[in-house]
Each structure stands twice: as C-alpha cells, then as structure tokens.
Amino acid sequence: MRFMQWLHRWVSLILIIQVVLWLISATVFSIMGHHGMSGHQYMRHIHPEMLADESPQWSIQQVRATHPQADTILLTNVLGHPQYQVNVSGKWLYLDGHTGQPWQTDVNLAQALALASYDGPGQIAEVEQVTGAAEVVDWSAAGYRVQFADDLNTRVYVDAASGQIVEHRNTPWTIADWAFRLHFMDYSGERSFNHLLIWSAGLFALWFSLSGLMLLIRNISQGDFNPRRKPTWLEQLQRDEKPIASSCGGGGTCGLCKVTFTNNDVPTPTAAEKVMLSEAELTAGLRLACQHKVQAKDAVELANENVASHLLTLQNKRDLTPSIAELTFTSASRLDYQAGQFLQFKIPHESTVLERHYSLATVPNADNELVFTVRHMPAPKSGVPAGVGSSFLCRLQPGEHVEAIGPFGDFLLTKASSRQQVFIGGGAGIAPLRALVQAEQQSTTPRPAMFFYGARNSAELCYTEELEQNPHVTYVPVLSAVSEKERWTGQTGFVHEVAEAWLREQDAQQVDVYVCGPPLMLEATMKMLAELGVPRDHIKFDDFGI
Amino acid sequence: MTQVTRSSRWRVWHRWLSLIFGVQMVLWSISGAYMVFFDLDYIHGDHLVQEITQPIPASTSVATIGEVLNAHPHTQSVTLESLWYDGRQQAVYKLTGHNGEQLINATTLAPISFDEADIEALATRYYALPEPKVESVVYLTDNPPTELNPALLPIWQVNFDDFGSTSLYLSESTGEMLVKRHTFWRGFDIFWMIHIMDYDERVDIETWWLQAFIFGTFILMITGAVLLVYTISFKRKPKGGAA
C-alpha cells in the first residue's frame, strides 16, 4: 500500500499537467460539440446536376481506350460540366468530360465552387492560389484558398486537379484543432492518437488512476467515508488542540505524529509505522497517531510530554560567522528540554503561518535562556526571496516576540553506553551538536568524544574556543574551500572523509555517532557510516537543524 | 493552537471527490489507454478487407453513356467497374440519382440484384485474411445491431468465423461493402461510450453530466496538487530517524 501511495504521488507529479490539459481540452470539445468543431457551420453539400442535362462529348469508350488499366471510371459533373474520375491502381485522375484532357480549375470556377458549398452570411473577400495548406493536413496538391468575410472567418479550400471542395476551415475549427493537439499530445496537427508520447502518458495515467483506486478501496474498507466512524488519534488530538506535529495530514508519510500507547495491548504496527519508526520505538509502544482510530480501551501519551506553546522574546542577537547568527530568547513559560531537541517556530508569512524547526544550541541553563543558531539563507538567485524563516528571525529585534512549540525530537545522547562518542556536523548543524557536547560534559562520567565540524573556510567556524577548551572533546575543524592567505594548518577536505579516516582506526562496534548538517553532508556521512559497519542503532542524526 | 491541519482538510476533500470523480477518472484512463494503444487503422478493420474491382478487359464492350441515360434519365453520376456475380467478374454500371443507387449490367443494361449466394461470394472476395470461413449471411431489414447505423438498412450482414468475429455489411442494391466490424472495433465502441459518457447513442459529447464530471475532476486534481506540495519529499525518509 505504501508503494501504491508512493506510485500515486510521484506519477501524479509527472502527469498532473497533462491531466489538466486533458480536462481543459475535453471541456472545449464538450462545449463546442461535433458540429461546432467541424468547421462546417457554413458548409452545404453540392448536389451534382443531372447528367442528361449536359452529356459528355468524350465517350466512356474513349476513356477506356486511353486508360485500359482503369479499375473504376466515374462520370459526374462539376457545377454541370461533365467530369470523368478514373482510378488506376488506387490513384485518381480527373478528366474534362468534353475533351478527355486533364481537368482544369481556374480562379472563377474555384470561386463558383466555394460559393456553391457555402451557405453563410459572408461574401468572398479573397482568393489565393495555394499548394496544400498547413491546416489541411493530408492535402498537399495545387488549389485555391477562398476567404469569406464572415463572423467565423471561413476559409474554403478547392482542389485544382479535381475541382472538389477539400475542406472548410474557420476560427472555431482552429480552436478545436488546438484542443485536439493538447488532448492527443500530437502537435503535428495530424490528430493521431497512436504514438509513443501518448502511449507513455496513457500508461502513466493508468498507473496513476489505478493506484488511486486501490488507495480509495483501502480508505473505504478502513471506514474513512463513514461519517460516524471514530476519528484517528491524530484527528482527536488535533481537535483537542494538543500539540502534535504532522506535515502530511494523516497520510502516514511524514512520521511526525508519534505517540506512545500506554495500555497493555498496543495495536499491531501498520506498514507505514514499520517504515517510519525504529524497532526500538515499536517495542516501546510508539505508534503514529494517524494510523489508529480512537478506541475506548486505548490510552495514548504524546511522545513529547513537555510539549507546549511558548511565547519567546528575543534578548540578544549576534553574528557568529558571516552566515550564522546566534539568537537568544527567553520564554514567558517554563520550557524544559533536553540537549539535541528542537522547537517548531511559527513564522508569519503573508496570510499564513509557516512552521520552521530550529534546534537549541545549549544545554538548559538556570536563566531559562534559549539559544538558537540561524543560518542566513541567501536568495538562490536575484528575484527569488531568501529563506522565509531565517529572514524573519534575523530581522527580529530584541524585545520582539515569536511563537514556538516544543520541545520535539529524539536526537539525544545515548544512555549507559561507555562507547566513544563521535559528533559530525556542518553549517548550522553545530547547534544541537554543541548542546549534546555540553550535556556530555556535565554528566558525571563524561565519555571520550571526537567532534568533526565541516565549514568552507576559517571565517565560518564558530564556538571554536569553547570546543577547543573542552577537556573531554577532541575538536577537529575541517575546511573544504580554504584559501592560501588563511594559513590554515588544520584538516582540509570534506568533513565526512576526515571523520572516515579516523573511524577506520576504531572499532566500528564501539562508537556512538551523532550527525547533523546540510542534506548532502548528511547523506554522504550516513553512507560512509554504513560502509564502515557502524551499527544503525548507534547512529543518531538530525535533518532539521539546518 | 491547532497544529498543521490544513493538509488534513485537503486530504478529506481529495478522498470524497475521488469517491465520485476518481472512479470516472479510472474509467477515462482505461478507455483512453485502449483507444491509444490499438492502432486506429486496425480498429477500423482495414486489414480485414481488400479492393475487389479489376480493370475490365478491353474485349468487353459496354453500353454508351447515352444509352444508360436514355434508360435512366434521372442520374447524377455513373460508375463503370467490374463486380463478381453469377459466378464471374462482370462489368457493371452503378447509377446514383435522387433515389439512391442502382446497379445494372454494363453491356445489357439489365438490372442486377443479389441473392444470399451472390452476397456470400462477394463478401468472401472482400475478405482479406486467409481461409475465409463464412458463419452466416443475414438479410437485415429492422432491429439493426448497435454496431450498424440504422440509416443503412436494409443491408446484408455476413459473419465470419475468425479471431475477431468479423462482420461485413454489404449494400443490398450494389453489393458494395459498406461497413466492417470486428471484436476490437466493438471494444473501441464500448470504451468510446465510456469515455464520452453517452451510454445511449454513443455520439453526444455535450451532455451536462460529462461537463460536470470534467469540472469535478478538475477540482479533484487541484486538491491532489495541493497535497502533492504538502507531502512530496526529495529526501529519503530514514528508518526511525531522529527528530
């Protein structure tokens, strides 16, 4: 089912524009109708005259003699003038019925034919000799384009070799033609719906709608459409205005709405929970609130009991590096947290409120000061706004307020293990790592710790003194884009590579690793740790503290 | 202090709309896929039939146009071609006038009519696949099958025992093959009906309910697009990750 959800979502991302185009063009078709799209609003059929009124002077026997291979010989007339149409091996020839010579259509005849086929209110405005026409796809022969001055901008195409009306075209036809191009994804104008592009779109559409159908069936069988069904715990907690985080809205895909079931028979984990929660969390009774309906026998606890809304007041602001600022807040209400946790800030933006997560950069202190590091997110290019959350916070002046919820997160120190502690960080990922290092230092028996911190150049390093002076920590700054004039004597390269070199010398089973930093660094580090064989439950990381 | 409930609300709308319009979306994609995956010429049955007229031998003399028009003065067009009847390929004139079409022997000008054996022989010649096996020949005067335009009645229906249950429809007056049908055309017709939601005549694309479903599906897509913005993530969600 999760695969279905994944499939549904990603296929829809690719397909949604085409689905909207299908709907728009279908609307055009449905509003115009077959007749409105035909271009034949002012077209009438030309009935041939009686042949007896003007018999051909060139006999059918003469036609047979000159075209012995003819499969079919048709005698008709064009506005009364006799005409032979001769089919030789699938190809049609047109002969003048009086002379047996190839049929000729001059401008006057073309005009007369166009008029005979037209019953609209307009007059002929212009006659033009043409060879084929872009808007008549399968006609490339010599002929005439007869333009009528009418409300629909009617054009009549006359084929010179046969003296036949090829097509009527007008403005509604052109509109419909574009709708056909969009609907059939055939931009050649041939209105073909048998080609590779639409085959692929057809397959995607099938996957898309069938995966949706299966999800729908699952929802029906879960009773999601029953108006009297019990709410999920997520819905119940949201209704009760309890502080529970969710960014997917109950789809089981963000993993934020963790709760602990306190009764004895904890519900069986769903597929979503098996992916989003760790084995230890499942055993401890943690579940996702969106996955289980409220049952009278069940009782849940918010995974973060201390979570509450806090009104923060900015006390102090200073730049740690050219790109990272340190903000110190106080809270009106008491806020108990553990090192490594984060708060969800409510950032007013235009008419809505956005949530942004920032990790606390210190251990809790007696003054209840809350310290955060905020990276100025520069505009990716000119004209694009800079990061909404960081811009707001960096503009905040001492004395001003912001609302935040928390604390959240289980990026915490491991307990009761005597293993070597390894911190790997980069950028604003310094915040929770610094808090963890401080916490470790305060513990009764601090464990040995390595701290690898990556930056581009020495100007981007922060809290250097504090970390270097900590007797329990070996601090290893690593610069990736160092310039010669900095006279840097420390490590260079990528932080995960330096950490790897050191880790290779260690027993991979005997380390606890904490990782926090930009996505690419995080990904590279996780890969490196997996390759070195560091057990997965010895690794903790935080991808919000960026 | 309600937390993120906006996406929940969109999700509820998305589910309810999909209950009504999503089901039609499934039908649209299945029928659309059928129609695009089968080649239109194949659906039309172009592979089932072949041209049967042949050049008339120079030795065969035919009546002049004057003689034809004397006998049939109300004629708008005359076609000279050859056709198989009475056990051989013969030259015929097909006359078109206000009263429809008529077939006469091109040499004697005698009117030609077809019996069941003539029609079967003609249909077998039209049939392009190897080893034609005629299952039945039916003269239809009323109650046409849905695959046939009632305006073409009366007409001969020749059914073949083959992979696609081919039916050829031959004109009563000229023996000309007018309509060809096979299983995949019939499937296309049903899917077309489903696609345009005209379950009766299978032609009307302007019904209010079709327009209503297009509009409803549009709203469904908008709710889906909003959910997409909320939920799609380029980050792999790590198992049991921190924070």
Side-chain angles (χ1 to χ4, degrees), chain A residues 9 27 30 34 48 50-51 61 64 71 73-75 194 199 209 216 238 244 246 248-249 274 309 405 410 541, chain B residues 1 3-4 7 11 29 36 38 40 55 57 60 62 75-80 203 205 211 231 238-239 242-243:
Chain A
R9 210 172 307 136
T27 309
S30 187
H34 289 300
M50 290 298 160
L51 287 174
Q61 280 75 15
R64 288 186 65 202
D71 290 314
I73 300 169
L74 168 68
L75 172 65
N194 303 126
W199 290 335
S209 62
L216 184 66
Q238 285 178 334
I244 180 141
S246 166
C248 71
K274 285 181 186 153
S309 179
I405 300 169
D410 48 12
F541 68 91
Chain B
M1 188 197 62
Q3 294 250 348
V4 189
S7 56
R11 190 175 291 279
S29 44
V36 300
F38 285 96
L40 192 60
T60 306
V62 301
T75 301
Q76 288 166 299
S77 74
V78 174
T79 308
L80 175 64
V203 288
I205 59 171
Q211 293 172 2
T231 58
K239 188 178 167 82

Side-chain angles (χ1 to χ4, degrees), chain A residues 430 449-454 461-470 473-478 488:
Chain A
I430 187 85
M450 287 294 291
F451 192 151
F452 297 94
Y453 181 69
L461 296 172
C462 50
Y463 300 129
T464 307
E465 208 170 315
E466 172 186 328
L467 290 164
E468 280 176 348
Q469 288 175 2
N470 186 326
V473 175
T474 310
Y475 178 57
V476 184
V478 183
W488 177 252

